[in-house]
Amino acid sequence: MRQSKLSSLNESLINISSGFFVSLIIWIYVVAPLWNIEMTMLDNLGITGIFTVSAVIRSYMWRRIFNHHLHKNK
């Protein structure tokens, strides 16, 4: 069964959204203190947001590529 483009996008968004919160926590409590980086919460959200958007795009593209190739040979 093929996965629709909307289903691919929804799955990617749910997966990456949960990753957003994990990444934000890691950035605030691990990365920033280890490198002694002082930033505002808005800066933290902005940096994490940039990587989250890129992860959604990357995840969606890979899912569509694999879905296409998986079902092309059947």
Side-chain angles (χ1 to χ4, degrees):
M1 178 193 301
R2 287 191 137 184
Q3 186 177 37
S4 71
K5 292 179 181 180
L6 184 58
S7 291
S8 293
L9 181 60
N10 284 335
E11 185 177 338
S12 294
L13 286 171
I14 290 168
N15 181 25
I16 304 302
S17 296
S18 63
F20 173 84
F21 293 105
V22 172
S23 296
L24 184 62
I25 290 167
I26 290 171
W27 175 261
I28 292 171
Y29 295 108
V30 177
V31 175
L34 280 175
W35 277 271
N36 199 25
I37 301 170
E38 294 186 25
M39 301 179 113
T40 67
M41 181 55 82
L42 191 58
D43 290 336
N44 290 327
L45 289 170
I47 290 168
T48 306
I50 290 168
F51 286 106
T52 299
V53 169
S54 70
V56 169
I57 294 167
R58 184 189 69 241
S59 176
Y60 176 77
M61 287 175 54
W62 279 117
R63 181 163 301 284
R64 296 311 305 161
I65 289 168
F66 277 99
N67 193 30
H68 172 75
H69 288 292
L70 179 68
H71 296 287
K72 182 172 85 170
N73 297 326
K74 287 186 178 183

